[in-house]
């Protein structure tokens, strides 16, 4: 989501600022920050420390460099950043990006500003119209939903991104069409709680994410759809059916469970148990048997016993993940779990290592199971080696193929003939040389 937000900011500023990739020559530097885990704010101060000499050197040369901090650290600690880091000209939370031009104008005139609105509605109505200027690409993100009302006891998102907000069907379809016209072939719908998305359709009925996917699948040029990140509670029948019905909806689902222990899940305020999750996975697999699953896990949550952790291992063994993210619990100031008695660091380290080794084995086994398989790859960009291009399998694995760059943007059938550490190697079908001759 931060990648998507950074692109929107670049677009908004495009009339005045050319986007560059290194800070040395920049007149404006914006740090877009994440607050979900660990020393995020320390990272911000250390990044700011590295930028300070740049600002000072530029100022000695009579050039003004404006520095801004954006994202969820800005939202959570805006006033503190502004007070502690005098070099920061403005601080802008995730719901205030539409105010960037105004903030910049103030900053240029020497004022130091903090913008930390907490509702996404104004931002989307102000930013909705600027997608046409996007740089051409094959695969793009599209934010459909932001914020979260679930309040899992470990999570800072409801406090930094605010209450759940769904963009309108109209705005989403218009943005998807603009992307398609600009050559985008794959869209990944984004939201902190993407499957909680809902809106009123043109038919006057309330739509959920499933219905929206059926609509987006009709757009010419869009050949692949994905969505992330989902909550198990919001996987309804229509969304599961969409996985069975829509060939363009890729057979890969990121569905975090966090823990396999009912006790821990309750303490996390997840509002589902391990058995509910497993039942859900069964239903999804019935609808789309080749679906691959991905998840998020937290180990060392306050109160997690060895037995609770074993339940997580059992759940992972039971599901079989194609990929997953796992983290040590990290207390976030202001969240309920941060106040509870904490698990010792060495225990967290050991549990994480065990879980990650199991998840790593599962990922390797999943990748191995693709060896020799024929699959369609959407090519996205040139590879590192000359003559190589890289795309994604339906299961989101990077696939490297020796093929002409002209195939970037195309979906081609390939055969997997090798495995990298995190990617697949494939080759295009051989085209037999013609045997007959013609003169025209
Ligand atoms: N500590 C560790 N991991 C966390 N996540 C969210 N908050 C925390 C936290 N306080 C993880 C969850 C979530 C993912 C995006 O980050 O697993 O699904
Ligand atoms: Fe955070 Fe996801 Fe829980 Fe919302 S559903 S509080 S974003 S972990």
């Amino acid at each position: 989501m931060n990648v998507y937000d950074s692109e929107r900011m670049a677009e908004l500023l495009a009339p005045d600022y050319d986007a560059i990739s290194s800070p040395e020559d920049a007149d404006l530097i914006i740090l877009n920050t994440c607050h979900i885990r660990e020393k995020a704010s320390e990272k911000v101060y250390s990044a700011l420390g590295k930028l300070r000499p740049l600002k000072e050197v530029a100022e000695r040369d009579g050039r003004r460099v404006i520095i801004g901090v954006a994202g969820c650290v800005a939202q959570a600690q805006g006033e503190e950043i502004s007070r502690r880091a005098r070099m920061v000209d403005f601080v802008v939370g995730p719901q205030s990006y539409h105010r960037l031009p105004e903030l910049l104008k103030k900053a240029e005139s020497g004022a130091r500003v903090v913008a930390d609105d907490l509702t996404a509605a104004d931002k989307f109505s102000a930013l909705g119209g600027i997608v046409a200027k996007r740089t051409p690409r094959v695969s793009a993100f599209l934010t459909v939903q932001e914020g979260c009302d679930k309040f899992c006891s470990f999570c800072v998102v409801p406090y930094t991104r605010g209450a759940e907000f769904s963009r309108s069907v109209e705005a989403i379809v218009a943005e998807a069409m603009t992307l398609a016209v600009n050559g985008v072939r794959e869209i990944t719908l984004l939201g902190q709680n993407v499957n909680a998305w809902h809106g009123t359709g043109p038919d006057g009925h309330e739509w959920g994410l499933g219905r929206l996917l059926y609509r987006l699948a009709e757009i010419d040029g869009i050949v692949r759809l994905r969505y992330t990140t989902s909550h198990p509670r919001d996987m309804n029948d229509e969304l599961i059916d969409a996985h069975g019905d829509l060939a363009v909806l890729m057979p890969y689902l990121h569905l975090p469970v966090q823990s396999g222990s009912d006790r821990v899940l309750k303490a996390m305020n997840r509002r589902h148990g391990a058995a509910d999750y497993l039942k859900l996975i069964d239903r999804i697999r019935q609808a789309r048997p080749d679906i691959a699953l991905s998840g998020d896990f937290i180990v060392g949550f306050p109160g997690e016993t060895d037995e609770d952790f074993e339940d997580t291992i059992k759940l992972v063994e039971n599901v079989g993940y194609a990929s997953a993210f796992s983290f040590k619990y990290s207390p976030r100031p202001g969240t309920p779990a941060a106040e509870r008695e904490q698990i010792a660091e060495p225990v967290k380290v050991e549990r994480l290592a065990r879980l990650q080794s199991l998840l790593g084995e599962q990922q390797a086994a999943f990748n191995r199971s693709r060896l020799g398989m024929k699959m369609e790859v959407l090519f996205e960009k040139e590879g590192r080696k000359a003559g190589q291009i890289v795309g994604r399998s339906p299961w989101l694995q990077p696939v490297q193929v020796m093929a002409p760059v002209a195939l970037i943007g195309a979906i081609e059938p390939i055969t997997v003939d090798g495995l990298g550490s995190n990617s697949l190697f494939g080759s295009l079908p051989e085209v037999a040389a013609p045997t007959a001759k013609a003169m025209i």
Side-chain angles (χ1 to χ4, degrees):
M1 189 161 275
N2 272 6
V3 171
Y4 178 91
D5 284 347
S6 295
E7 286 177 3
R8 296 295 76 70
M9 285 190 256
E11 280 164 7
L12 190 64
L13 299 172
D16 301 316
Y17 292 90
D18 206 10
I20 56 172
S21 52
S22 68
E24 285 77 18
D25 302 322
D27 301 298
L28 165 67
I29 301 170
I30 301 178
L31 296 178
N32 195 2
T33 61
C34 176
H35 199 228
I36 195 90
R37 281 177 300 274
E38 284 167 18
K39 310 168 183 126
S41 48
E42 277 108 277
K43 280 188 205 158
V44 176
Y45 289 114
S46 110
L48 285 172
K50 285 190 195 127
L51 293 176
R52 187 193 311 273
L54 284 184
K55 185 159 171 140
E56 286 166 358
V57 167
E59 262 157 30
R60 238 174 282 140
D61 296 346
R63 194 165 64 86
R64 178 90 198 277
V65 177
I66 295 178
I67 295 188
V69 178
C72 292
V73 179
Q75 184 67 37
Q77 297 173 8
E79 294 293 345
E80 191 186 331
I81 293 172
S82 178
R83 207 174 46 243
R84 263 180 67 179
R86 302 300 299 173
M87 59 184 290
V88 172
D89 298 287
F90 68 91
V91 176
V92 57
Q95 316 311 0
S96 314
Y97 294 153
H98 56 293
R99 293 178 50 198
L100 264 178
E102 161 212 327
L103 298 178
L104 271 171
K105 218 171 260 142
K106 283 192 186 144
E108 277 158 12
S109 69
R112 300 178 67 248
V113 252
V114 175
D116 53 5
D117 318 46
L118 247 182
T119 158
D122 295 345
K123 172 177 70 171
F124 282 116
S125 58
L127 292 185
I130 58 169
V131 286
K133 291 182 223 122
R134 273 193 214 182
T135 36
R137 68 194 54 207
V138 175
S139 179
F141 292 128
L142 195 173
T143 293
V144 299
Q145 181 278 340
E146 248 190 65
C148 184
D149 294 339
K150 295 274 189 303
F151 289 92
C152 299
S153 61
F154 53 81
C155 185
V156 82
V157 165
Y159 310 93
T160 53
R161 289 268 171 177
E164 207 173 286
F165 172 79
S166 290
R167 293 180 68 193
S168 72
V169 175
E170 244 178 352
I172 295 166
V173 171
E175 186 164 336
M177 281 178 160
T178 308
L179 291 173
V181 166
N182 283 287
V184 166
R185 315 296 310 280
E186 174 181 78
I187 295 180
T188 302
L189 306 181
L190 293 182
Q192 271 92 24
N193 207 170
V194 72
N195 58 344
W197 178 88
H198 59 99
T200 310
D203 55 4
H205 289 121
E206 184 72 358
W207 285 15
L209 189 70
R211 186 70 193 81
L212 181 68
L213 286 163
Y214 283 97
R215 172 67 189 92
L216 295 176
E218 291 169 2
I219 297 177
D220 275 347
I222 299 303
V223 291
R224 285 186 167 189
L225 289 170
R226 304 179 186 274
Y227 60 93
T228 198
T229 289
S230 295
H231 191 286
R233 281 278 291 232
D234 295 317
M235 285 305 299
N236 62 18
D237 288 344
E238 193 172 38
L239 185 51
I240 296 174
D241 287 347
H243 278 281
D245 292 343
L246 297 174
V248 294
L249 184 55
M250 290 296 100
Y252 178 92
L253 179 64
H254 183 64
L255 193 59
V257 65
Q258 314 296 357
S259 166
S261 151
D262 285 341
R263 237 175 44 81
V264 172
L265 288 168
K266 194 155 196 312
M268 286 177 164
N269 192 31
R270 289 288 292 177
R271 296 185 252 181
H272 61 77
D276 304 321
Y277 182 82
L278 292 173
K279 222 183 286 161
L280 187 58
I281 300 286
D282 273 352
R283 280 167 58 209
I284 298 165
R285 281 186 166 144
Q286 254 162 37
R288 181 82 203 226
D290 65 341
I291 202 154
L293 290 154
S294 151
D296 289 343
F297 297 89
I298 296 177
V299 301
F301 185 79
E304 185 188 66
T305 62
D306 284 342
E307 205 183 343
D308 293 321
F309 177 65
E310 291 309 322
D311 284 344
T312 299
I313 295 285
K314 267 186 236 147
L315 180 136
V316 170
E317 282 168 347
N318 211 323
V319 172
Y321 287 92
S323 74
F325 302 95
S326 45
F327 316 99
K328 288 183 289 185
Y329 169 69
S330 150
R332 309 312 293 131
T335 59
E339 311 295 321
R340 302 179 192 159
E341 200 183 321
Q342 301 296 313
I343 299 282
E345 182 66 16
V347 177
K348 288 188 192 176
V349 171
E350 196 192 315
R351 287 180 187 166
L352 187 66
R354 227 184 109 203
L355 178 61
Q356 289 192 333
S357 127
L358 174 60
L359 290 167
E361 278 166 29
Q362 291 191 341
Q363 180 167 4
F366 180 74
N367 287 346
R368 261 196 320 274
S369 73
R370 309 291 106 164
L371 207 53
M373 195 183 265
K374 228 177 158 173
M375 63 174 70
E376 291 196 325
V377 168
L378 171 60
F379 289 108
E380 289 179 16
K381 55 183 184 196
E382 287 183 57
R384 251 177 269 145
K385 269 204 257 159
Q388 195 180 54
I389 59 174
V390 189
R392 295 263 179 188
S393 79
W395 303 279
L396 211 59
Q397 298 143 302
V399 186
Q400 308 180 44
V401 177
M402 298 303 285
V405 287
L407 288 185
I408 292 174
I411 289 199
E412 294 290 327
I414 61 103
T415 304
V416 178
D417 51 19
L419 299 175
S421 50
N422 275 315
S423 62
L424 308 177
F425 294 100
S427 48
L428 293 170
E430 282 191 23
V431 184
T435 48
K437 300 181 178 71
M439 201 207 108
I440 299 164

